[in-house]
Amino acid sequence: MSQFIEPQPFQSHPDTISRGALRKRLRHQRRSLSFEQQQQAAENLALNLLKNPDLHRARHIAIYLPNDGEIDPHVYLDIALRKGVRFYLPVLHPIHEGRLVFSPYYDGVELTANRFGIPEPAFSKGLRRPVWALDAVLFPLVGFDEQGGRLGMGGGFYDRTFAFSRLRPRLAPKLIGLAHDFQKVDKLPIEPWDVPLHSVVTDKQRYRFRGGVAT
């Protein structure tokens, strides 16, 4: 497991003390899971993702390598690969600070730890897939609520990268947060810079958001 260095929150929109304390508690809770618990959660997550209609026709999906106790999408990835789905990993943009690009992820691809200690493919203009050409993006959450509020690591990478989806939603991929179900909390503030999620999928169920309410 690579050493994880916590990214800094938006400089112009720092976290409140309450959000920071909640993030710390939820991260500790998911890191406390045993290997067996994580494996069971991964298998349950895969079943829920396979039943997710937002992914039935998706052929180009961004995914992540789990770290810091995040729920593991590898079981789903292994099944979807056999169905012809192509996957992509986030890569820190070397020039545009705080933004991501997405490079192909396949068996044997060389990975190098970035400045946060997270393995990623090498940056390549020729190999990366434009964000608007992705069908879906699966990314980890620290916390979420049933109104569509979400809590990430505080770096704002996905918000910056997919900010265009506010103005051109038809070009945006399906943005799907993944989490353990215990990471659901009563209420989180929806910040002005938060890019809305289409849904959250956990090891227990799927939460789809319409008008700020889970369905």
Side-chain angles (χ1 to χ4, degrees), residues 58-62 88 100-103 125 128-137 158 160-175 198:
R59 288 297 174 264
H60 297 275
I61 300 176
Y88 305 81
L100 302 170
V101 297
F102 293 88
S103 295
K125 290 184 177 181
R128 67 180 183 176
R129 189 166 186 84
V131 293
W132 50 264
L134 293 167
D135 296 318
V137 180
Y158 284 94
R160 293 188 185 94
T161 302
F162 293 99
F164 75 93
S165 65
R166 290 183 173 278
L167 298 177
R168 309 185 74 176
R170 291 186 178 182
L171 289 180
K174 297 294 184 182
L175 301 178
H198 291 89

